[in-house]
């Protein structure tokens, strides 16, 4: 039975990875920041959300062992013998925890995303079994590049970054590459934006679209008069507020369901190349989603606001700034027309006889926004 140290088990992707590892012949050491009792309750909730955990009873205390660790501290803040014992015990170290706040400053996100990676690498370096390091990164380490196909081995900071989060994840990948130069093995996996249409659970993991969905749901329940009262503007004659959004016509974004991404991660981690070095793989949907499809999904929740994409600088009105602020990091991504090389995942899927997932359409994206369990949006479907 393999033993895997996994960070981020209480999060949106991490709980799905944990559920899948538990379906295999694995023991998992969950590295968490909470005290163990609270962490156990949170992991159980997160597993209930992810589904597909083990069939009999709770795994916590059985094949899931909780270790409270401080990602920001040297040797994860663990006592010497605890750290050394853990390092020697694990066959692999999977690092999924991160600060995913798109609006946070660089120092805040780096404390977790850069320093946390450094300390997880320390754990993997100390292990007698020379564990492979599986690092969950993001396709957005591509930074400011707009029109291109990003290669999997490409790691280039010269285009700048749209958010401090991206920059911190880029810095983390640099650390992983430097670590592996010492004859060690790392697999870097870069998911794109992850969503789900599964019901959310109270106090369970959330995803970026569910946050947007919650905000759109509130806006929908307040009605168009709210915008007039708050911003002193009236809708056009047809009752619709037209708001300009900065972007480019024809822009795309890559969105994948967390279920698909989890399958992809499990598929890609099976290819365990014994050669030292870093292997990097995009965990992306094979079809990029046009921004127009995405905007249509948002509009179906709030039909009296019509986004109009405009190129160049927008001297935004307060109403337009408000609408843009509903989507975390939203103002930055309307310019992208880039895709991601994913040949290795195509090959692995062909090997496993998996057919490509359908392109994401408006009804699916509406469901990711209007998720049951998201208070207020879940009532909209029937409104
Ligand atoms: N979701 C996406 O769309 C997406 C897309 C591309 C890549 N990714 C990457 O996928 C990974 C997982 O993302 P996610 O969506 O699952 O994020 P998430 O839901 O925000 O979960 C983040 C996880 O990291 C943990 N964490 C955060 N700060 C920590 C700290 N200081 N010490 C210990 N643990 C800490 C959280 O613990 P608590 O629960 O205690 O806060 C949680 O378990 C990240 O590496 C992210 O960069 C995500």
């Amino acid at each position: 039975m393999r033993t895997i140290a996994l960070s981020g088990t209480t999060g949106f992707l991490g709980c799905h990875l944990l559920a899948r590892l538990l379906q295999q012949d694995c023991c998992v050491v969950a590295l968490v920041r909470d005290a163990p009792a609270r962490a156990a309750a949170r992991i159980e909730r997160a597993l209930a959300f992810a589904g597909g955990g083990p069939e009999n009873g709770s795994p916590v205390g059985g094949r899931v062992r909780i270790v409270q660790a401080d990602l920001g501290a040297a040797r994860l803040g663990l006592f010497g013998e605890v750290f050394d014992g853990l390092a020697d015990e694990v066959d692999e170290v999977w690092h999924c925890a991160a600060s995913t706040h798109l609006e946070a400053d660089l120092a805040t996100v780096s404390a977790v995303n850069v320093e946390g990676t450094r300390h997880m690498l320390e754990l993997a370096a100390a292990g007698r079994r020379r564990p492979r390091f599986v690092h969950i990164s993001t396709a957005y380490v591509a930074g400011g590049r707009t029109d291109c196909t990003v290669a999997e081995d490409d790691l280039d900071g010269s285009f700048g970054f749209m958010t401090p989060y991206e920059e911190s994840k880029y810095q983390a990948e640099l650390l992983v590459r430097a670590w592996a130069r010492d004859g060690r093995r790392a697999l870097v996996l870069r998911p794109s934006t992850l969503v789900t249409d599964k019901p959310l659970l109270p106090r369970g993991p959330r995803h970026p679209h569910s946050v947007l969905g919650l905000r759109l749901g509130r806006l929908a329940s307040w009605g168009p008069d709210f915008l007039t009262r708050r911003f002193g503007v009236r809708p056009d004659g047809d009752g619709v507020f037209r708001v300009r959004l900065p972007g480019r016509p024809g822009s795309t974004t890559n969105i994948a369901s967390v279920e698909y991404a989890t399958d992809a991660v499990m598929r890609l981690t099976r290819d365990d190349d014994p050669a030292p070095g870093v292997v990097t793989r995009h965990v992306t949907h094979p079809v990029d989603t046009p921004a127009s499809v995405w905007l249509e999904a948002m509009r179906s929740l709030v039909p009296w606001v019509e986004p109009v994409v405009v190129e160049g600088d927008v001297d935004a009105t307060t109403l337009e700034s408000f609408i843009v602020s509903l989507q975390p990091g939203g103002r930055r991504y309307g310019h992208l027309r880039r895709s991601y090389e994913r040949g290795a995942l195509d090959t692995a899927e062909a090997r496993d006889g998996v057919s490509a997932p359908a392109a994401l359409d408006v009804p699916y994206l509406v469901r990711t926004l209007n998720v049951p369990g998201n208070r207020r949006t879940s009532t909209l479907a029937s409104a």
Side-chain angles (χ1 to χ4, degrees):
M1 190 175 278
R2 284 185 306 155
T3 299
I4 294 179
L6 172 64
S7 67
T9 47
T10 50
F12 180 55
L13 176 59
C15 68
H16 286 84
L17 298 181
L18 176 62
R20 290 294 299 275
L21 287 171
L22 291 175
Q23 289 167 355
Q24 301 182 354
D25 200 19
C26 285
C27 284
V28 176
V29 180
L31 298 169
V32 296
R33 59 171 150 183
D34 278 334
R38 183 175 142 80
R42 293 188 61 211
I43 288 174
E44 284 180 13
R45 263 200 308 274
L47 275 175
F49 163 65
E55 289 183 356
N56 302 318
S58 165
V60 178
R63 284 199 291 134
V64 179
R65 199 171 89 229
I66 290 176
V67 171
Q68 188 176 12
D70 181 355
L71 281 189
R75 293 166 72 86
L76 299 170
L78 299 172
F79 288 120
E81 63 275 21
V82 177
F83 180 86
D84 292 337
L86 178 61
D88 285 343
E89 183 189 352
V90 295
D91 299 290
E92 301 202 343
V93 174
W94 290 29
H95 179 37
C96 186
S99 169
T100 53
H101 296 290
L102 296 182
E103 308 288 357
D105 62 47
L106 187 60
T108 304
V109 286
S110 297
V112 184
N113 299 352
V114 182
E115 295 312 306
T117 301
R118 191 189 306 284
H119 301 133
M120 290 293 286
L121 287 166
E122 257 179 18
L123 178 72
R128 196 180 293 152
R129 301 182 193 179
R130 296 181 72 80
R132 175 172 68 154
F133 193 79
V134 176
H135 178 70
I136 305 295
S137 182
T138 169
Y140 290 91
V141 292
R145 264 167 286 190
T146 54
D147 297 72
C148 61
T149 298
V150 184
E152 294 191 305
D153 57 4
D154 188 336
L155 186 62
D156 179 354
S158 65
F159 297 87
F161 297 94
M162 292 182 286
T163 61
Y165 163 76
E166 291 177 359
E167 185 169 357
S168 67
K169 296 291 285 188
Y170 162 81
Q171 297 288 351
E173 277 204 32
L174 289 180
L175 286 183
V176 175
R177 288 190 176 200
W179 177 86
R181 270 185 222 121
D182 200 16
R184 298 178 181 277
R185 291 176 308 136
L187 174 62
V188 174
L189 299 170
R190 294 176 178 163
S192 56
T193 301
L194 303 179
V195 295
T196 190
D197 60 352
K198 263 195 306 236
L200 301 177
L201 294 179
R203 292 175 290 133
R206 292 285 181 271
H207 59 92
H209 281 199
S210 65
V211 175
L212 172 64
L214 184 63
R215 292 173 178 174
L216 288 176
R218 285 199 188 118
L219 184 58
S221 67
W222 292 333
D225 290 348
F226 164 79
L227 295 184
T228 299
R229 277 198 313 278
R230 165 113 183 244
F231 300 104
V233 287
R234 300 208 163 272
D236 293 344
D238 56 1
V240 174
F241 293 87
R242 293 197 166 72
V243 295
R244 297 164 303 160
L245 294 188
R248 284 195 299 168
S251 68
T252 56
T253 179
N254 194 286
I255 307 174
S257 77
V258 73
E259 296 82 8
Y260 175 76
T262 303
D263 283 347
V265 167
M266 302 314 287
R267 212 177 298 292
L268 291 166
T269 50
R270 262 177 53 202
D271 298 332
D272 192 357
D273 187 346
V278 178
V279 172
T280 304
R281 301 287 180 237
H282 283 132
V283 178
T284 50
H285 195 289
V287 183
D288 297 313
T289 302
S292 54
V293 173
W294 176 227
L295 293 176
E296 207 181 320
M298 290 198 267
R299 212 181 154 210
S300 75
L301 291 181
V302 188
W304 35 271
V305 174
E306 182 178 326
V308 181
V309 173
V310 293
E311 277 188 85
D313 289 338
V314 174
D315 187 13
T317 63
T318 47
L319 168 64
E320 288 166 339
S321 299
F322 170 74
I323 296 294
V324 169
S325 74
L326 296 176
Q327 181 169 18
R331 81 182 70 87
R332 302 183 176 92
Y333 293 101
H335 297 84
L336 296 184
R337 282 184 208 143
R338 73 178 179 219
S339 49
Y340 305 91
E341 182 197 347
R342 41 159 277 153
L345 184 51
D346 286 335
T347 306
E349 288 179 347
R351 172 199 69 199
D352 296 346
V354 173
S355 42
L360 302 190
D361 58 11
V362 173
Y364 177 79
L365 291 174
V366 169
R367 288 200 304 280
T368 70
L369 289 166
N370 192 24
V371 277
N374 228 2
R375 279 182 304 137
R376 294 190 194 246
T377 42
S378 50
T379 58
L380 285 175
S382 55

